[in-house]
Amino acid sequence: MRNASIVAIALTAALVALQLVGLAMLERSHAYAQPSVPLVPAVCTESADVPVSQIPYG
């Protein structure tokens, strides 16, 4: 019975350690990720006038 509890404690400690390592790696990958959207907003230089056709309602 004592061997089973030692094994259970060892497995729990190993799983906790793996979880912490995984979280640390995930945080590192997010810290170095490049943003896909530019931080400076684009300035629109063209006019946005679009002719709209009139649809009769009847």
Side-chain angles (χ1 to χ4, degrees):
M1 186 72 170
R2 182 177 171 138
N3 287 339
S5 64
I6 291 174
V7 170
I9 291 172
L11 284 174
T12 303
L15 288 174
V16 169
L18 285 174
Q19 184 73 27
L20 291 174
V21 169
L23 287 174
M25 291 176 65
L26 185 66
E27 284 294 320
R28 247 179 111 180
S29 69
H30 283 287
Y32 294 111
Q34 296 295 324
S36 60
V37 179
L39 297 177
V40 178
V43 177
C44 189
T45 58
E46 294 183 14
S47 175
D49 294 333
V50 177
V52 178
S53 63
Q54 297 294 326
I55 301 173
Y57 296 101

